[in-house]
Amino acid sequence: MSNEPILLCRTADSLYWAGRYLERVESLARLITEHTALLVDLPRRVELTWQPLLAIPGGDHGFWERYDTADEVSVMEFLLTDRTNECSLAYSIDQARENLRTVRQVFPRTSWRLVNELAQVVESQGTTSHRRGRRHQLLERVVGDCQRMAGVIHDAMRRDHAYDFFHLGTQFERADMTTRVLDVRAASIMELNDELASEAGREEAGAKAVFEDIQWLGVLRSLVGVHSYRRSTSDPVTGPDVVRFLLTDDRFPRSIAFCLDEIDTSLQNLPKNLPVVEACHDARVLLGRVDAMTWRAEQLRDLADDVQLGLAGIDDALKATYFTDDDILVLPPPSSSQSQSQSQSQSGSNGSSQTQSQSQSQGRVG
């Protein structure tokens, strides 16, 4: 049986956040790319602005403290290069690199080189990202490098507790991003469609259905889900089917169900896991409400908010259980030589005890 290396609580914390920030970088880059493409595809009469891009990562409050209007240039500057914005691409890459730096001895060397190169690319090209052509090239490079890092780590990193904490961070961030997309983007489509359906005639409603398909495909693309969705059903793209797919399809790697199952699997490898496992199971139970939904925007928002609270419960349990101090989280088991010497020592002491008891017994008999 192989030995488990010593792992400190602060190391586990850095591994967890390295996984979260790397996933956040890729998700944000893809989200901006697909939102830009959707704005180009839709006609002007279909209401779609840059503002949802602020709400999905949760940076809208900080934005309005610095900018007057949510136009393309302002939003792109805030989300891509503003290091005072903790939701920005530049800030997330800096944090990913810093967390990887502190634990780089457990990661393949190639992954450390790739994150440094990516940080340099964003630093040098981010200032021209307000131009769509340059932005597309930058974001394509970001997504590609993140996928290369994920491939290197998946193929070359040892499957010990260090990998478990990195994987926990990755899966947690994926689940978090999916709930945010559902809460902001998907619920907004449902809400707008409800309003238009009550006002539009049959002809306009039919035309709007085409644009609805485009918007739901945009939701799937922002989570790399078009191909898997097409594989899961032959039916036309509809809002309820997309929402159900993103929440409950346990074979799609970015669905809430899949991410929670992966979190649970990683937790089974860790010590002292009961509080976190219980929080994970509580979040998983929430997905059962999908079957009772009538597919109104308010219902979806309520469910997404509750799942967000469930994820927050998992995060709180992780912090309380594993990241609270500088103690050793995992002690390595004794080596085979130590175990052998201990066994010999115990055998020797048992043998001498047996000899001594036999002598005492013989003395009493005599």
Side-chain angles (χ1 to χ4, degrees), residues 1 15 26 28 89 98 100 125 155-156 166 168 172-174 179 207 214-215 225 255 301 305 320 322 332 337 346 356:
M1 180 178 179
L15 288 161
E26 181 182 348
L28 181 59
L89 192 75
E98 178 59 23
L100 277 174
Q125 299 182 18
D155 290 346
F166 178 81
L168 279 172
F172 184 93
E173 190 67 28
R174 281 186 182 180
T179 59
I214 294 173
Q215 292 185 73
S255 75
R301 285 200 172 98
D305 289 344
Y322 298 119
S337 59
Q346 290 175 355
Q356 185 176 4

Side-chain angles (χ1 to χ4, degrees), residues 12-170:
D13 185 48
S14 294
L15 288 161
Y16 172 74
W17 279 103
R20 287 198 63 174
Y21 277 117
L22 282 174
E23 181 64 28
R24 187 175 300 178
V25 167
E26 181 182 348
S27 296
L28 181 59
R30 186 178 288 107
L31 189 66
I32 295 172
T33 299
E34 294 307 326
H35 192 82
T36 304
L38 192 60
L39 277 169
V40 174
D41 291 340
L42 290 174
R44 292 181 180 273
R45 65 191 180 93
V46 177
E47 183 179 356
L48 186 64
T49 66
W50 293 99
Q51 202 161 331
L53 279 180
L54 299 172
I56 292 175
D60 46 347
H61 297 299
F63 177 85
W64 293 113
E65 295 173 0
R66 299 188 51 190
Y67 299 93
D68 296 327
T69 58
D71 57 12
E72 181 175 2
V73 174
S74 301
V75 171
M76 289 302 103
E77 179 183 328
F78 184 71
L79 289 179
L80 293 178
T81 61
D82 189 347
R83 285 182 165 80
T84 65
N85 171 24
E86 295 185 1
C87 301
S88 74
L89 192 75
Y91 180 90
S92 298
I93 290 175
D94 289 346
Q95 292 300 309
R97 180 169 62 172
E98 178 59 23
N99 280 284
L100 277 174
R101 183 190 65 79
T102 61
V103 293
R104 62 184 181 275
Q105 70 277 6
V106 304
F107 280 94
R109 184 176 298 179
T110 304
S111 61
W112 174 239
R113 175 177 59 80
L114 286 172
V115 76
N116 276 294
E117 290 177 355
L118 181 57
Q120 293 170 6
V121 168
V122 172
E123 178 72 27
S124 62
Q125 299 182 18
T127 55
T128 61
S129 58
H130 61 279
R131 299 170 58 183
R132 290 188 184 180
R134 295 287 182 87
R135 182 166 71 238
H136 180 76
Q137 292 177 356
L138 172 62
L139 296 177
E140 196 173 51
R141 169 71 185 270
V142 169
V143 172
D145 280 4
C146 286
Q147 291 177 337
R148 288 174 63 195
M149 275 186 278
V152 168
I153 291 169
H154 181 271
D155 290 346
M157 190 171 176
R158 188 174 186 264
R159 293 308 193 265
D160 52 19
H161 289 325
Y163 181 85
D164 289 327
F165 279 106
F166 178 81
H167 191 61
L168 279 172
T170 300

Side-chain angles (χ1 to χ4, degrees), residues 337-355:
S337 59
Q338 289 176 332
S339 301
Q340 190 174 15
S341 63
Q342 288 176 357
S343 300
Q344 291 174 350
S345 175
Q346 290 175 355
S347 299
S349 63
N350 291 338
S352 61
S353 298
Q354 290 176 0
T355 303

Side-chain angles (χ1 to χ4, degrees), residues 279-351:
C280 184
H281 290 175
D282 289 343
R284 190 69 164 81
V285 168
L286 294 171
L287 302 183
R289 287 163 49 184
V290 171
D291 294 333
M293 289 183 68
T294 57
W295 307 111
R296 309 293 292 183
E298 284 303 316
Q299 276 188 323
L300 179 55
R301 285 200 172 98
D302 289 343
L303 178 56
D305 289 344
D306 288 343
V307 174
Q308 278 276 320
L309 291 174
L311 292 173
I314 297 173
D315 189 56
D316 290 341
L318 281 168
K319 291 175 183 175
T321 305
Y322 298 119
F323 309 147
T324 54
D325 50 43
D326 290 335
D327 290 343
I328 294 176
L329 178 64
V330 179
L331 282 171
S335 62
S336 57
S337 59
Q338 289 176 332
S339 301
Q340 190 174 15
S341 63
Q342 288 176 357
S343 300
Q344 291 174 350
S345 175
Q346 290 175 355
S347 299
S349 63
N350 291 338

Side-chain angles (χ1 to χ4, degrees), residues 15 52 96 126 150 245 258 273 299 351 360:
L15 288 161
F245 172 76
F258 185 96
N273 63 8
Q299 276 188 323
Q360 290 175 347

